[in-house]
Amino acid sequence: MHSIRGLLRLVLLGVVLVALAVTTTSARAAGAAQAAPNDATQARLRVSQCVYGEPEMDIYLNGQIPVDADIPLAVRQGDVTRYEYLAPGTHSLVVVPNGQDLSKAFLGPLDVTLAAGHRYTVVALGQKDEPSHQALVIDETAAAAAIGAGPLDFVHFMVNNIRGLAGLDFYQGGIVRDANVPYGGFKAARWPVGWWKGLKVTVAGAPDQPLDPGFDGDGYNPPALSTLDCFGGTYPGTIGQDFDTHTSANTSPLNAVDLLQAFNAEAGKSGKGSPSNNTFLAAVQAAGLTDLLAHGGPYIIFAPTDEAFAALPKGTLDALMADKQALGAFLRRHIVAGYYPPLTLVKVKYVGRFDRTVTNLLGEPVVLATASDDGLLINGENAGSSDSVMVAGGTRLFPWIGKVLLPTTAAPGMPVTGAGTAAGPFPAGLPVVILATLALLLAGSLLRRRVAQR
C-alpha cells in the first residue's frame, strides 16, 4: 500500500510539473512571460526603411529576429517598424532581405549604443542602385530635448534621403517648420498643437517647387505626440514613381492616463481636434484602476469618447458608477493585455487592415477588423476612428473609440490569438493545472480507499 501511495505521489508530481511546464511555455510563446516594457530602465529602438524600391527586409537584433504578438520584426520600403524595448548598452543590428541569411546583409552589422529612457530610430539610407547603404541613427529623445521640446509638445522628425535634393523644406500653416533638411540627415522640429492649413514639402528655399504639386493638406496636431517622416528616392521625378515618403506611427512619452488628460484639456480649447475622454477617466478613477492603466501593462486600451458614453441608455452610466465591481468589469472589457504595436493586429503583413482576435481582461474575445469607411470594427460593430498612439510602457491607446463595448459571446470555433490572454493575476493555463491537480488528488484518494478495503 505504501509503495502504491508513493507511486501515486510521483505520478501526481510529474503531471503537475509537466502541466506547469506546458503553461509556462505557452505563456512565453504568447509573450506573457516577457519582462514588461519599462521606459525608465530600457531603451526603444526601431528601423525606418527609406531606400526607395527595395524589397521587404528582416530585422536581426543580436543575431535573432524579435517576435512580438506572434509577428516577426520586418520592414518593407516606405515603412517604420515597431519599437523593440532593449536593455541599455550596445546592440548588434542587421537588416537582411526577407528570407536570406546574415551574409546577405542590406545594412550592417551595426553596433548601436542605447541609453536608458531614450527612443531611437535607425534609418536605412542610400539608393537602390548603390552597392552599399548607410545608417542614420537618430536619438529622438536627445533631439527633442535639443530643440527645447516638452512632454506636451508635438515633435516632428524629418529625414531627407532624396538624391538630387541637397535640402528639403517642410511647410505647415504656411510656415517652414523643418528648414533645409540635408540629404542623408534629419531635423527635429516643434510643430504647433491645434488646427493647421497648408502642408507641403518643397525644394529647400524654393516654396514654388513642391515635391507633390497636387497636395496642399490641412489637419490637426494633438498634444504630446511625435512622428517621423522619411523622404526617399531620386529627384527630379514624380512622387510615387521616382521618390516617395512614409510616416511613422504616433508615439507619446506620456502614459495612457496622462495622455488622455492632455487630450481632454486640448479638446476644451480646440473642439473636435483632440478626443474627449473625461467620462472614461472618471470611471477609471472610480473603479480604482488609474494606477493600473498608468503604470501597468502593456495593454491595448479602447477608450470610448464622452459621446460614446452619452449614447448609452438612460441610467446605465449612473448604475455603473454606483457599483464599483460592475464598473471594474465594464472597464476591463475595454482592456487587452499584451504588447501589440503597429502591424501586429493583422494576419497578413502590410495589408493596412485590422484582422485579429484578441482577449480582454475578462477573458472575452475582441474581434478586430476594418470597416468600409476605414474605421475600426470591434466584434462586428463600427467603433469609429482606428487611430491609435503608442504610449509609455508599450501600451497602445485607441482614444477615439465611438462606441462603448458591451458583453458579447464568441462565435463557434472563433480563434483567439496573440498575447494578453490572462484575465487576472494568474497565467491563462493555471486554472487548468489546478483542476487537473484536484482531479488527480481525488483519484488518488479513491484509490487509497480501494486499497484499504482490500
Side-chain angles (χ1 to χ4, degrees):
M1 183 172 68
H2 292 294
S3 61
I4 294 176
R5 289 179 179 176
L7 180 61
L8 281 172
R9 291 192 184 98
L10 287 175
V11 171
L12 175 61
L13 179 60
V15 170
V16 171
L17 288 175
V18 169
L20 285 173
V22 170
T23 301
T24 303
T25 301
S26 300
R28 285 174 179 164
Q34 297 177 2
N38 188 307
D39 295 278
T41 62
Q42 295 174 302
R44 281 187 268 175
L45 177 67
R46 63 183 178 181
V47 175
S48 167
Q49 163 46 332
C50 206
V51 180
Y52 188 73
E54 289 287 358
E56 179 183 356
M57 302 287 169
D58 295 330
I59 311 298
Y60 284 82
L61 283 171
N62 303 318
Q64 301 290 330
I65 299 178
V67 177
D68 292 307
D70 306 325
I71 305 296
L73 189 62
V75 66
R76 64 177 178 178
Q77 177 264 313
D79 273 330
V80 185
T81 71
R82 63 186 181 252
Y83 283 109
E84 289 295 320
Y85 279 81
L86 300 167
T90 301
H91 297 265
S92 174
L93 171 70
V94 186
V95 180
V96 181
N98 182 245
Q100 298 190 24
D101 58 46
L102 292 173
S103 67
K104 307 294 185 181
F106 170 80
L107 184 70
L110 176 71
D111 287 336
V112 184
T113 301
L114 310 178
H118 285 230
R119 301 196 309 265
Y120 298 84
T121 300
V122 175
V123 186
L125 297 178
Q127 305 303 324
K128 184 176 181 178
D129 60 1
E130 294 174 345
S132 62
H133 304 91
Q134 301 77 46
L136 173 65
V137 180
I138 302 174
D139 184 335
E140 300 170 56
T141 306
I147 61 173
L152 295 179
D153 284 322
F154 185 98
V155 181
H156 181 253
F157 300 92
M158 182 175 175
V159 181
N160 176 9
N161 189 42
I162 297 184
R163 185 173 62 192
L165 286 181
L168 290 176
D169 288 342
F170 204 129
Y171 287 80
Q172 188 189 60
I175 300 172
V176 178
R177 304 295 179 183
D178 305 81
N180 196 22
V181 181
Y183 178 62
F186 83 99
K187 285 195 174 180
R190 294 166 62 189
W191 285 10
V193 171
W195 293 101
W196 48 263
K197 289 183 178 295
L199 182 73
K200 63 180 180 178
V201 179
T202 73
V203 175
D208 59 342
Q209 297 182 44
L211 270 63
D212 187 355
F215 180 76
D216 187 13
D218 60 315
Y220 180 85
N221 291 334
L225 300 187
S226 69
T227 189
L228 178 144
D229 282 297
C230 188
F231 293 79
T234 59
Y235 187 87
T238 302
I239 190 166
Q241 297 180 16
D242 305 291
F243 61 87
D244 215 332
T245 181
H246 62 264
T247 303
S248 72
N250 288 323
T251 302
S252 177
L254 303 182
N255 64 53
V257 172
D258 289 345
L259 182 59
L260 288 176
Q261 290 173 342
F263 281 171
N264 289 342
E266 185 59 30
K269 302 175 186 177
S270 58
K272 296 294 184 179
S274 287
S276 179
N277 305 94
N278 288 289
T279 307
F280 179 77
L281 283 183
V284 168
Q285 183 176 10
L289 298 180
T290 300
D291 189 65
L292 178 74
L293 296 194
H295 306 295
Y299 299 119
I300 300 173
I301 301 175
F302 301 106
T305 62
D306 291 339
E307 291 82 359
F309 278 99
L312 287 172
K314 185 178 180 180
T316 301
L317 180 59
D318 291 338
L320 280 171
M321 296 294 280
D323 186 337
K324 186 174 181 179
Q325 184 175 0
L327 182 62
F330 167 82
L331 291 171
R332 286 179 172 86
R333 181 166 290 114
H334 295 75
I335 305 169
V336 172
Y339 184 48
Y340 289 97
L343 301 180
T344 61
L345 291 176
V346 297
K347 292 179 183 175
V348 180
K349 291 185 293 186
Y350 312 124
V351 296
R353 301 181 66 83
F354 293 96
D355 183 16
R356 190 157 186 174
T357 299
V358 291
T359 307
N360 64 25
L361 294 189
L362 296 182
E364 301 169 341
V366 181
V367 184
L368 304 177
T370 300
S372 58
D373 62 357
D374 288 331
L376 178 63
L377 287 176
I378 302 181
N379 295 330
E381 297 189 55
N382 197 320
S385 173
S386 61
D387 290 345
S388 64
V389 182
M390 293 305 301
V391 302
T395 285
R396 186 170 183 179
L397 174 67
F398 288 80
W400 283 274
I401 297 299
K403 189 174 184 62
V404 170
L405 306 187
L406 299 175
T408 186
T409 56
M414 179 182 295
V416 178
T417 62
T421 56
F426 303 108
L430 189 56
V432 177
V433 175
I434 293 173
L435 290 174
T437 302
L438 290 174
L440 286 168
L441 287 171
L442 178 60
S445 176
L446 292 174
L447 183 56
R448 285 196 298 271
R449 291 179 182 177
R450 290 179 180 176
V451 170
Q453 289 172 353
R454 286 179 184 175

